[in-house]
Amino acid sequence: MWKNIEDRVIACGEYIVKTGCTVRACAAYLGGSKSTVHTVVTY
């Protein structure tokens, strides 16, 4: 699904900032795991 980690970082960051959601909610929205979102956000 994701060709580049930068695309995933931007998508996660924008969604979290826009909605103020949790890591779990972001993972559910983007179709990934909580661990993956956490890793991407800290990256």
PDB file of all heavy atoms in Angstrom:
ATOM      1  N   MET A   1       0.820  -1.191   0.000  1.00  0.00           N
ATOM      2  CA  MET A   1       0.000   0.000   0.000  1.00  0.00           C
ATOM      3  C   MET A   1       0.865   1.257   0.000  1.00  0.00           C
ATOM      4  O   MET A   1       0.651   2.148  -0.785  1.00  0.00           O
ATOM      5  CB  MET A   1      -0.924  -0.030   1.207  1.00  0.00           C
ATOM      6  CG  MET A   1      -1.796   1.174   1.331  1.00  0.00           C
ATOM      7  SD  MET A   1      -2.877   1.025   2.758  1.00  0.00           S
ATOM      8  CE  MET A   1      -3.661   2.580   2.677  1.00  0.00           C
ATOM      9  N   TRP A   2       1.838   1.324   0.898  1.00  0.00           N
ATOM     10  CA  TRP A   2       2.687   2.507   0.998  1.00  0.00           C
ATOM     11  C   TRP A   2       3.982   2.258   0.244  1.00  0.00           C
ATOM     12  O   TRP A   2       4.701   1.318   0.523  1.00  0.00           O
ATOM     13  CB  TRP A   2       3.003   2.809   2.458  1.00  0.00           C
ATOM     14  CG  TRP A   2       1.777   3.083   3.270  1.00  0.00           C
ATOM     15  CD1 TRP A   2       1.103   2.187   4.042  1.00  0.00           C
ATOM     16  CD2 TRP A   2       1.062   4.306   3.371  1.00  0.00           C
ATOM     17  NE1 TRP A   2       0.034   2.788   4.619  1.00  0.00           N
ATOM     18  CE2 TRP A   2      -0.026   4.089   4.235  1.00  0.00           C
ATOM     19  CE3 TRP A   2       1.235   5.566   2.824  1.00  0.00           C
ATOM     20  CZ2 TRP A   2      -0.934   5.086   4.561  1.00  0.00           C
ATOM     21  CZ3 TRP A   2       0.336   6.548   3.154  1.00  0.00           C
ATOM     22  CH2 TRP A   2      -0.726   6.308   4.005  1.00  0.00           C
ATOM     23  N   LYS A   3       4.290   3.125  -0.700  1.00  0.00           N
ATOM     24  CA  LYS A   3       5.517   2.977  -1.467  1.00  0.00           C
ATOM     25  C   LYS A   3       6.692   3.639  -0.776  1.00  0.00           C
ATOM     26  O   LYS A   3       7.825   3.264  -0.982  1.00  0.00           O
ATOM     27  CB  LYS A   3       5.335   3.569  -2.865  1.00  0.00           C
ATOM     28  CG  LYS A   3       4.324   2.813  -3.681  1.00  0.00           C
ATOM     29  CD  LYS A   3       4.197   3.394  -5.053  1.00  0.00           C
ATOM     30  CE  LYS A   3       3.171   2.596  -5.828  1.00  0.00           C
ATOM     31  NZ  LYS A   3       3.004   3.044  -7.168  1.00  0.00           N
ATOM     32  N   ASN A   4       6.416   4.616   0.034  1.00  0.00           N
ATOM     33  CA  ASN A   4       7.480   5.382   0.657  1.00  0.00           C
ATOM     34  C   ASN A   4       7.096   5.693   2.096  1.00  0.00           C
ATOM     35  O   ASN A   4       5.959   6.073   2.367  1.00  0.00           O
ATOM     36  CB  ASN A   4       7.679   6.679  -0.142  1.00  0.00           C
ATOM     37  CG  ASN A   4       8.921   7.418   0.242  1.00  0.00           C
ATOM     38  OD1 ASN A   4       9.526   7.154   1.269  1.00  0.00           O
ATOM     39  ND2 ASN A   4       9.304   8.357  -0.575  1.00  0.00           N
ATOM     40  N   ILE A   5       8.028   5.549   3.005  1.00  0.00           N
ATOM     41  CA  ILE A   5       7.723   5.818   4.417  1.00  0.00           C
ATOM     42  C   ILE A   5       7.365   7.283   4.627  1.00  0.00           C
ATOM     43  O   ILE A   5       6.556   7.614   5.491  1.00  0.00           O
ATOM     44  CB  ILE A   5       8.878   5.379   5.339  1.00  0.00           C
ATOM     45  CG1 ILE A   5       8.413   5.398   6.797  1.00  0.00           C
ATOM     46  CG2 ILE A   5      10.097   6.238   5.138  1.00  0.00           C
ATOM     47  CD1 ILE A   5       9.305   4.695   7.751  1.00  0.00           C
ATOM     48  N   GLU A   6       7.913   8.166   3.825  1.00  0.00           N
ATOM     49  CA  GLU A   6       7.588   9.586   3.970  1.00  0.00           C
ATOM     50  C   GLU A   6       6.111   9.849   3.720  1.00  0.00           C
ATOM     51  O   GLU A   6       5.510  10.686   4.396  1.00  0.00           O
ATOM     52  CB  GLU A   6       8.442  10.427   3.029  1.00  0.00           C
ATOM     53  CG  GLU A   6       9.907  10.443   3.417  1.00  0.00           C
ATOM     54  CD  GLU A   6      10.767  11.220   2.436  1.00  0.00           C
ATOM     55  OE1 GLU A   6      10.234  11.798   1.477  1.00  0.00           O
ATOM     56  OE2 GLU A   6      11.981  11.235   2.631  1.00  0.00           O
ATOM     57  N   ASP A   7       5.507   9.133   2.776  1.00  0.00           N
ATOM     58  CA  ASP A   7       4.076   9.285   2.515  1.00  0.00           C
ATOM     59  C   ASP A   7       3.264   8.879   3.738  1.00  0.00           C
ATOM     60  O   ASP A   7       2.284   9.525   4.099  1.00  0.00           O
ATOM     61  CB  ASP A   7       3.647   8.435   1.315  1.00  0.00           C
ATOM     62  CG  ASP A   7       4.292   8.894   0.022  1.00  0.00           C
ATOM     63  OD1 ASP A   7       4.695  10.072  -0.068  1.00  0.00           O
ATOM     64  OD2 ASP A   7       4.385   8.056  -0.903  1.00  0.00           O
ATOM     65  N   ARG A   8       3.679   7.789   4.381  1.00  0.00           N
ATOM     66  CA  ARG A   8       2.984   7.301   5.567  1.00  0.00           C
ATOM     67  C   ARG A   8       3.146   8.272   6.726  1.00  0.00           C
ATOM     68  O   ARG A   8       2.196   8.551   7.452  1.00  0.00           O
ATOM     69  CB  ARG A   8       3.523   5.934   5.963  1.00  0.00           C
ATOM     70  CG  ARG A   8       2.702   5.261   7.010  1.00  0.00           C
ATOM     71  CD  ARG A   8       3.263   3.943   7.447  1.00  0.00           C
ATOM     72  NE  ARG A   8       3.553   3.073   6.322  1.00  0.00           N
ATOM     73  CZ  ARG A   8       4.082   1.871   6.436  1.00  0.00           C
ATOM     74  NH1 ARG A   8       4.372   1.402   7.617  1.00  0.00           N
ATOM     75  NH2 ARG A   8       4.329   1.137   5.380  1.00  0.00           N
ATOM     76  N   VAL A   9       4.358   8.810   6.892  1.00  0.00           N
ATOM     77  CA  VAL A   9       4.613   9.777   7.966  1.00  0.00           C
ATOM     78  C   VAL A   9       3.731  11.008   7.794  1.00  0.00           C
ATOM     79  O   VAL A   9       3.090  11.463   8.742  1.00  0.00           O
ATOM     80  CB  VAL A   9       6.109  10.182   7.980  1.00  0.00           C
ATOM     81  CG1 VAL A   9       6.349  11.362   8.899  1.00  0.00           C
ATOM     82  CG2 VAL A   9       6.975   9.008   8.362  1.00  0.00           C
ATOM     83  N   ILE A  10       3.668  11.516   6.594  1.00  0.00           N
ATOM     84  CA  ILE A  10       2.863  12.717   6.310  1.00  0.00           C
ATOM     85  C   ILE A  10       1.385  12.435   6.528  1.00  0.00           C
ATOM     86  O   ILE A  10       0.673  13.226   7.154  1.00  0.00           O
ATOM     87  CB  ILE A  10       3.142  13.233   4.888  1.00  0.00           C
ATOM     88  CG1 ILE A  10       4.564  13.776   4.816  1.00  0.00           C
ATOM     89  CG2 ILE A  10       2.129  14.300   4.486  1.00  0.00           C
ATOM     90  CD1 ILE A  10       5.053  14.075   3.423  1.00  0.00           C
ATOM     91  N   ALA A  11       0.902  11.290   6.038  1.00  0.00           N
ATOM     92  CA  ALA A  11      -0.513  10.946   6.192  1.00  0.00           C
ATOM     93  C   ALA A  11      -0.890  10.810   7.662  1.00  0.00           C
ATOM     94  O   ALA A  11      -1.920  11.342   8.097  1.00  0.00           O
ATOM     95  CB  ALA A  11      -0.829   9.662   5.440  1.00  0.00           C
ATOM     96  N   CYS A  12      -0.064  10.111   8.428  1.00  0.00           N
ATOM     97  CA  CYS A  12      -0.344   9.936   9.861  1.00  0.00           C
ATOM     98  C   CYS A  12      -0.296  11.274  10.590  1.00  0.00           C
ATOM     99  O   CYS A  12      -1.189  11.584  11.381  1.00  0.00           O
ATOM    100  CB  CYS A  12       0.649   8.979  10.488  1.00  0.00           C
ATOM    101  SG  CYS A  12       0.418   7.265  10.059  1.00  0.00           S
ATOM    102  N   GLY A  13       0.738  12.037  10.341  1.00  0.00           N
ATOM    103  CA  GLY A  13       0.889  13.325  11.018  1.00  0.00           C
ATOM    104  C   GLY A  13      -0.248  14.276  10.723  1.00  0.00           C
ATOM    105  O   GLY A  13      -0.800  14.897  11.636  1.00  0.00           O
ATOM    106  N   GLU A  14      -0.623  14.377   9.463  1.00  0.00           N
ATOM    107  CA  GLU A  14      -1.715  15.277   9.090  1.00  0.00           C
ATOM    108  C   GLU A  14      -3.035  14.836   9.717  1.00  0.00           C
ATOM    109  O   GLU A  14      -3.801  15.665  10.200  1.00  0.00           O
ATOM    110  CB  GLU A  14      -1.853  15.343   7.573  1.00  0.00           C
ATOM    111  CG  GLU A  14      -0.765  16.139   6.902  1.00  0.00           C
ATOM    112  CD  GLU A  14      -0.885  16.161   5.393  1.00  0.00           C
ATOM    113  OE1 GLU A  14      -1.656  15.355   4.821  1.00  0.00           O
ATOM    114  OE2 GLU A  14      -0.193  16.988   4.772  1.00  0.00           O
ATOM    115  N   TYR A  15      -3.286  13.536   9.723  1.00  0.00           N
ATOM    116  CA  TYR A  15      -4.547  13.046  10.275  1.00  0.00           C
ATOM    117  C   TYR A  15      -4.612  13.276  11.783  1.00  0.00           C
ATOM    118  O   TYR A  15      -5.635  13.719  12.302  1.00  0.00           O
ATOM    119  CB  TYR A  15      -4.734  11.562   9.961  1.00  0.00           C
ATOM    120  CG  TYR A  15      -6.070  11.034  10.422  1.00  0.00           C
ATOM    121  CD1 TYR A  15      -7.235  11.403   9.771  1.00  0.00           C
ATOM    122  CD2 TYR A  15      -6.163  10.196  11.521  1.00  0.00           C
ATOM    123  CE1 TYR A  15      -8.465  10.949  10.206  1.00  0.00           C
ATOM    124  CE2 TYR A  15      -7.384   9.726  11.956  1.00  0.00           C
ATOM    125  CZ  TYR A  15      -8.534  10.105  11.294  1.00  0.00           C
ATOM    126  OH  TYR A  15      -9.748   9.652  11.731  1.00  0.00           O
ATOM    127  N   ILE A  16      -3.514  13.018  12.477  1.00  0.00           N
ATOM    128  CA  ILE A  16      -3.497  13.203  13.930  1.00  0.00           C
ATOM    129  C   ILE A  16      -3.646  14.682  14.288  1.00  0.00           C
ATOM    130  O   ILE A  16      -4.405  15.038  15.192  1.00  0.00           O
ATOM    131  CB  ILE A  16      -2.221  12.597  14.550  1.00  0.00           C
ATOM    132  CG1 ILE A  16      -2.291  11.070  14.457  1.00  0.00           C
ATOM    133  CG2 ILE A  16      -2.043  13.043  15.995  1.00  0.00           C
ATOM    134  CD1 ILE A  16      -1.020  10.355  14.860  1.00  0.00           C
ATOM    135  N   VAL A  17      -2.965  15.554  13.570  1.00  0.00           N
ATOM    136  CA  VAL A  17      -3.062  16.989  13.860  1.00  0.00           C
ATOM    137  C   VAL A  17      -4.466  17.509  13.529  1.00  0.00           C
ATOM    138  O   VAL A  17      -5.042  18.282  14.296  1.00  0.00           O
ATOM    139  CB  VAL A  17      -1.989  17.776  13.074  1.00  0.00           C
ATOM    140  CG1 VAL A  17      -2.247  19.258  13.126  1.00  0.00           C
ATOM    141  CG2 VAL A  17      -0.608  17.446  13.618  1.00  0.00           C
ATOM    142  N   LYS A  18      -5.004  17.059  12.412  1.00  0.00           N
ATOM    143  CA  LYS A  18      -6.321  17.545  11.980  1.00  0.00           C
ATOM    144  C   LYS A  18      -7.434  17.106  12.920  1.00  0.00           C
ATOM    145  O   LYS A  18      -8.328  17.897  13.230  1.00  0.00           O
ATOM    146  CB  LYS A  18      -6.615  17.048  10.561  1.00  0.00           C
ATOM    147  CG  LYS A  18      -7.940  17.530   9.995  1.00  0.00           C
ATOM    148  CD  LYS A  18      -8.091  17.198   8.534  1.00  0.00           C
ATOM    149  CE  LYS A  18      -8.341  15.713   8.368  1.00  0.00           C
ATOM    150  NZ  LYS A  18      -8.712  15.350   6.993  1.00  0.00           N
ATOM    151  N   THR A  19      -7.373  15.866  13.398  1.00  0.00           N
ATOM    152  CA  THR A  19      -8.475  15.333  14.203  1.00  0.00           C
ATOM    153  C   THR A  19      -8.187  15.279  15.691  1.00  0.00           C
ATOM    154  O   THR A  19      -9.106  15.173  16.487  1.00  0.00           O
ATOM    155  CB  THR A  19      -8.839  13.909  13.745  1.00  0.00           C
ATOM    156  OG1 THR A  19      -7.729  13.048  13.981  1.00  0.00           O
ATOM    157  CG2 THR A  19      -9.229  13.890  12.286  1.00  0.00           C
ATOM    158  N   GLY A  20      -6.902  15.300  16.070  1.00  0.00           N
ATOM    159  CA  GLY A  20      -6.547  15.167  17.479  1.00  0.00           C
ATOM    160  C   GLY A  20      -6.809  13.765  18.006  1.00  0.00           C
ATOM    161  O   GLY A  20      -7.009  13.567  19.194  1.00  0.00           O
ATOM    162  N   CYS A  21      -6.804  12.795  17.106  1.00  0.00           N
ATOM    163  CA  CYS A  21      -7.130  11.420  17.470  1.00  0.00           C
ATOM    164  C   CYS A  21      -5.963  10.728  18.175  1.00  0.00           C
ATOM    165  O   CYS A  21      -4.868  11.257  18.253  1.00  0.00           O
ATOM    166  CB  CYS A  21      -7.514  10.627  16.227  1.00  0.00           C
ATOM    167  SG  CYS A  21      -6.122  10.324  15.116  1.00  0.00           S
ATOM    168  N   THR A  22      -6.238   9.531  18.651  1.00  0.00           N
ATOM    169  CA  THR A  22      -5.220   8.719  19.285  1.00  0.00           C
ATOM    170  C   THR A  22      -4.479   7.903  18.227  1.00  0.00           C
ATOM    171  O   THR A  22      -4.880   7.851  17.069  1.00  0.00           O
ATOM    172  CB  THR A  22      -5.853   7.744  20.292  1.00  0.00           C
ATOM    173  OG1 THR A  22      -6.726   6.865  19.580  1.00  0.00           O
ATOM    174  CG2 THR A  22      -6.632   8.485  21.365  1.00  0.00           C
ATOM    175  N   VAL A  23      -3.409   7.258  18.659  1.00  0.00           N
ATOM    176  CA  VAL A  23      -2.640   6.400  17.750  1.00  0.00           C
ATOM    177  C   VAL A  23      -3.512   5.245  17.262  1.00  0.00           C
ATOM    178  O   VAL A  23      -3.483   4.884  16.098  1.00  0.00           O
ATOM    179  CB  VAL A  23      -1.365   5.883  18.454  1.00  0.00           C
ATOM    180  CG1 VAL A  23      -0.657   4.847  17.614  1.00  0.00           C
ATOM    181  CG2 VAL A  23      -0.430   7.034  18.753  1.00  0.00           C
ATOM    182  N   ARG A  24      -4.325   4.694  18.152  1.00  0.00           N
ATOM    183  CA  ARG A  24      -5.215   3.595  17.758  1.00  0.00           C
ATOM    184  C   ARG A  24      -6.235   4.043  16.716  1.00  0.00           C
ATOM    185  O   ARG A  24      -6.520   3.330  15.764  1.00  0.00           O
ATOM    186  CB  ARG A  24      -5.946   3.033  18.975  1.00  0.00           C
ATOM    187  CG  ARG A  24      -5.080   2.199  19.860  1.00  0.00           C
ATOM    188  CD  ARG A  24      -5.896   1.666  21.035  1.00  0.00           C
ATOM    189  NE  ARG A  24      -5.005   1.063  22.008  1.00  0.00           N
ATOM    190  CZ  ARG A  24      -4.951  -0.226  22.242  1.00  0.00           C
ATOM    191  NH1 ARG A  24      -5.741  -1.039  21.588  1.00  0.00           N
ATOM    192  NH2 ARG A  24      -4.120  -0.705  23.130  1.00  0.00           N
ATOM    193  N   ALA A  25      -6.791   5.219  16.894  1.00  0.00           N
ATOM    194  CA  ALA A  25      -7.776   5.725  15.940  1.00  0.00           C
ATOM    195  C   ALA A  25      -7.121   5.996  14.585  1.00  0.00           C
ATOM    196  O   ALA A  25      -7.706   5.716  13.543  1.00  0.00           O
ATOM    197  CB  ALA A  25      -8.434   6.992  16.470  1.00  0.00           C
ATOM    198  N   CYS A  26      -5.917   6.505  14.606  1.00  0.00           N
ATOM    199  CA  CYS A  26      -5.187   6.746  13.361  1.00  0.00           C
ATOM    200  C   CYS A  26      -4.890   5.426  12.665  1.00  0.00           C
ATOM    201  O   CYS A  26      -5.035   5.317  11.448  1.00  0.00           O
ATOM    202  CB  CYS A  26      -3.894   7.505  13.638  1.00  0.00           C
ATOM    203  SG  CYS A  26      -2.953   7.894  12.149  1.00  0.00           S
ATOM    204  N   ALA A  27      -4.506   4.432  13.415  1.00  0.00           N
ATOM    205  CA  ALA A  27      -4.221   3.114  12.836  1.00  0.00           C
ATOM    206  C   ALA A  27      -5.471   2.524  12.205  1.00  0.00           C
ATOM    207  O   ALA A  27      -5.415   1.962  11.105  1.00  0.00           O
ATOM    208  CB  ALA A  27      -3.684   2.177  13.912  1.00  0.00           C
ATOM    209  N   ALA A  28      -6.593   2.651  12.868  1.00  0.00           N
ATOM    210  CA  ALA A  28      -7.848   2.134  12.317  1.00  0.00           C
ATOM    211  C   ALA A  28      -8.222   2.874  11.040  1.00  0.00           C
ATOM    212  O   ALA A  28      -8.670   2.266  10.066  1.00  0.00           O
ATOM    213  CB  ALA A  28      -8.962   2.254  13.348  1.00  0.00           C
ATOM    214  N   TYR A  29      -8.036   4.177  11.033  1.00  0.00           N
ATOM    215  CA  TYR A  29      -8.378   4.988   9.861  1.00  0.00           C
ATOM    216  C   TYR A  29      -7.481   4.660   8.667  1.00  0.00           C
ATOM    217  O   TYR A  29      -7.962   4.544   7.543  1.00  0.00           O
ATOM    218  CB  TYR A  29      -8.257   6.474  10.215  1.00  0.00           C
ATOM    219  CG  TYR A  29      -8.483   7.399   9.047  1.00  0.00           C
ATOM    220  CD1 TYR A  29      -9.762   7.641   8.585  1.00  0.00           C
ATOM    221  CD2 TYR A  29      -7.421   8.032   8.415  1.00  0.00           C
ATOM    222  CE1 TYR A  29      -9.985   8.492   7.511  1.00  0.00           C
ATOM    223  CE2 TYR A  29      -7.626   8.877   7.349  1.00  0.00           C
ATOM    224  CZ  TYR A  29      -8.912   9.111   6.896  1.00  0.00           C
ATOM    225  OH  TYR A  29      -9.112   9.950   5.834  1.00  0.00           O
ATOM    226  N   LEU A  30      -6.189   4.489   8.909  1.00  0.00           N
ATOM    227  CA  LEU A  30      -5.248   4.251   7.823  1.00  0.00           C
ATOM    228  C   LEU A  30      -5.057   2.770   7.496  1.00  0.00           C
ATOM    229  O   LEU A  30      -4.344   2.435   6.563  1.00  0.00           O
ATOM    230  CB  LEU A  30      -3.896   4.881   8.159  1.00  0.00           C
ATOM    231  CG  LEU A  30      -3.902   6.407   8.267  1.00  0.00           C
ATOM    232  CD1 LEU A  30      -2.538   6.908   8.706  1.00  0.00           C
ATOM    233  CD2 LEU A  30      -4.276   7.041   6.949  1.00  0.00           C
ATOM    234  N   GLY A  31      -5.667   1.896   8.279  1.00  0.00           N
ATOM    235  CA  GLY A  31      -5.589   0.475   7.992  1.00  0.00           C
ATOM    236  C   GLY A  31      -4.271  -0.170   8.375  1.00  0.00           C
ATOM    237  O   GLY A  31      -3.835  -1.124   7.750  1.00  0.00           O
ATOM    238  N   GLY A  32      -3.631   0.346   9.400  1.00  0.00           N
ATOM    239  CA  GLY A  32      -2.376  -0.222   9.872  1.00  0.00           C
ATOM    240  C   GLY A  32      -2.499  -0.644  11.318  1.00  0.00           C
ATOM    241  O   GLY A  32      -3.582  -0.618  11.896  1.00  0.00           O
ATOM    242  N   SER A  33      -1.383  -1.016  11.889  1.00  0.00           N
ATOM    243  CA  SER A  33      -1.395  -1.402  13.300  1.00  0.00           C
ATOM    244  C   SER A  33      -0.986  -0.224  14.171  1.00  0.00           C
ATOM    245  O   SER A  33      -0.366   0.731  13.705  1.00  0.00           O
ATOM    246  CB  SER A  33      -0.443  -2.573  13.537  1.00  0.00           C
ATOM    247  OG  SER A  33       0.894  -2.142  13.416  1.00  0.00           O
ATOM    248  N   LYS A  34      -1.319  -0.337  15.443  1.00  0.00           N
ATOM    249  CA  LYS A  34      -0.954   0.706  16.404  1.00  0.00           C
ATOM    250  C   LYS A  34       0.559   0.846  16.490  1.00  0.00           C
ATOM    251  O   LYS A  34       1.088   1.955  16.538  1.00  0.00           O
ATOM    252  CB  LYS A  34      -1.548   0.362  17.766  1.00  0.00           C
ATOM    253  CG  LYS A  34      -1.198   1.341  18.860  1.00  0.00           C
ATOM    254  CD  LYS A  34      -1.746   0.906  20.198  1.00  0.00           C
ATOM    255  CE  LYS A  34      -1.076  -0.328  20.673  1.00  0.00           C
ATOM    256  NZ  LYS A  34      -0.155  -0.220  21.776  1.00  0.00           N
ATOM    257  N   SER A  35       1.247  -0.274  16.467  1.00  0.00           N
ATOM    258  CA  SER A  35       2.710  -0.245  16.550  1.00  0.00           C
ATOM    259  C   SER A  35       3.328   0.449  15.351  1.00  0.00           C
ATOM    260  O   SER A  35       4.292   1.206  15.489  1.00  0.00           O
ATOM    261  CB  SER A  35       3.259  -1.676  16.648  1.00  0.00           C
ATOM    262  OG  SER A  35       2.787  -2.297  17.800  1.00  0.00           O
ATOM    263  N   THR A  36       2.787   0.206  14.180  1.00  0.00           N
ATOM    264  CA  THR A  36       3.311   0.836  12.960  1.00  0.00           C
ATOM    265  C   THR A  36       3.104   2.339  13.005  1.00  0.00           C
ATOM    266  O   THR A  36       4.010   3.109  12.700  1.00  0.00           O
ATOM    267  CB  THR A  36       2.625   0.251  11.709  1.00  0.00           C
ATOM    268  OG1 THR A  36       2.863  -1.144  11.684  1.00  0.00           O
ATOM    269  CG2 THR A  36       3.148   0.890  10.454  1.00  0.00           C
ATOM    270  N   VAL A  37       1.928   2.765  13.410  1.00  0.00           N
ATOM    271  CA  VAL A  37       1.646   4.210  13.492  1.00  0.00           C
ATOM    272  C   VAL A  37       2.560   4.856  14.515  1.00  0.00           C
ATOM    273  O   VAL A  37       3.129   5.924  14.273  1.00  0.00           O
ATOM    274  CB  VAL A  37       0.163   4.469  13.810  1.00  0.00           C
ATOM    275  CG1 VAL A  37      -0.073   5.946  14.094  1.00  0.00           C
ATOM    276  CG2 VAL A  37      -0.714   4.013  12.664  1.00  0.00           C
ATOM    277  N   HIS A  38       2.743   4.225  15.654  1.00  0.00           N
ATOM    278  CA  HIS A  38       3.612   4.779  16.692  1.00  0.00           C
ATOM    279  C   HIS A  38       5.043   4.921  16.175  1.00  0.00           C
ATOM    280  O   HIS A  38       5.703   5.936  16.363  1.00  0.00           O
ATOM    281  CB  HIS A  38       3.582   3.906  17.940  1.00  0.00           C
ATOM    282  CG  HIS A  38       4.342   4.495  19.077  1.00  0.00           C
ATOM    283  ND1 HIS A  38       5.669   4.229  19.306  1.00  0.00           N
ATOM    284  CD2 HIS A  38       3.973   5.370  20.032  1.00  0.00           C
ATOM    285  CE1 HIS A  38       6.076   4.903  20.356  1.00  0.00           C
ATOM    286  NE2 HIS A  38       5.060   5.600  20.820  1.00  0.00           N
ATOM    287  N   THR A  39       5.530   3.909  15.472  1.00  0.00           N
ATOM    288  CA  THR A  39       6.874   3.948  14.902  1.00  0.00           C
ATOM    289  C   THR A  39       7.008   5.063  13.873  1.00  0.00           C
ATOM    290  O   THR A  39       7.982   5.806  13.857  1.00  0.00           O
ATOM    291  CB  THR A  39       7.214   2.601  14.244  1.00  0.00           C
ATOM    292  OG1 THR A  39       7.129   1.577  15.231  1.00  0.00           O
ATOM    293  CG2 THR A  39       8.615   2.608  13.663  1.00  0.00           C
ATOM    294  N   VAL A  40       5.995   5.192  13.031  1.00  0.00           N
ATOM    295  CA  VAL A  40       6.012   6.218  11.986  1.00  0.00           C
ATOM    296  C   VAL A  40       5.977   7.607  12.580  1.00  0.00           C
ATOM    297  O   VAL A  40       6.697   8.498  12.154  1.00  0.00           O
ATOM    298  CB  VAL A  40       4.831   5.989  11.015  1.00  0.00           C
ATOM    299  CG1 VAL A  40       4.598   7.196  10.131  1.00  0.00           C
ATOM    300  CG2 VAL A  40       5.069   4.768  10.175  1.00  0.00           C
ATOM    301  N   VAL A  41       5.129   7.807  13.586  1.00  0.00           N
ATOM    302  CA  VAL A  41       4.988   9.137  14.196  1.00  0.00           C
ATOM    303  C   VAL A  41       6.267   9.545  14.912  1.00  0.00           C
ATOM    304  O   VAL A  41       6.677  10.692  14.860  1.00  0.00           O
ATOM    305  CB  VAL A  41       3.769   9.175  15.129  1.00  0.00           C
ATOM    306  CG1 VAL A  41       3.735  10.459  15.948  1.00  0.00           C
ATOM    307  CG2 VAL A  41       2.497   9.039  14.331  1.00  0.00           C
ATOM    308  N   THR A  42       6.926   8.593  15.557  1.00  0.00           N
ATOM    309  CA  THR A  42       8.171   8.932  16.241  1.00  0.00           C
ATOM    310  C   THR A  42       9.330   9.092  15.269  1.00  0.00           C
ATOM    311  O   THR A  42      10.338   9.689  15.605  1.00  0.00           O
ATOM    312  CB  THR A  42       8.532   7.890  17.309  1.00  0.00           C
ATOM    313  OG1 THR A  42       8.638   6.607  16.709  1.00  0.00           O
ATOM    314  CG2 THR A  42       7.499   7.859  18.412  1.00  0.00           C
ATOM    315  N   TYR A  43       9.188   8.550  14.065  1.00  0.00           N
ATOM    316  CA  TYR A  43      10.219   8.681  13.043  1.00  0.00           C
ATOM    317  C   TYR A  43      10.304  10.120  12.597  1.00  0.00           C
ATOM    318  O   TYR A  43      11.293  10.715  12.478  1.00  0.00           O
ATOM    319  CB  TYR A  43       9.887   7.778  11.854  1.00  0.00           C
ATOM    320  CG  TYR A  43      10.792   7.952  10.660  1.00  0.00           C
ATOM    321  CD1 TYR A  43      12.087   7.460  10.705  1.00  0.00           C
ATOM    322  CD2 TYR A  43      10.359   8.567   9.514  1.00  0.00           C
ATOM    323  CE1 TYR A  43      12.922   7.602   9.606  1.00  0.00           C
ATOM    324  CE2 TYR A  43      11.183   8.712   8.420  1.00  0.00           C
ATOM    325  CZ  TYR A  43      12.465   8.230   8.464  1.00  0.00           C
ATOM    326  OH  TYR A  43      13.280   8.373   7.375  1.00  0.00           O
TER     327      TYR A  43
END
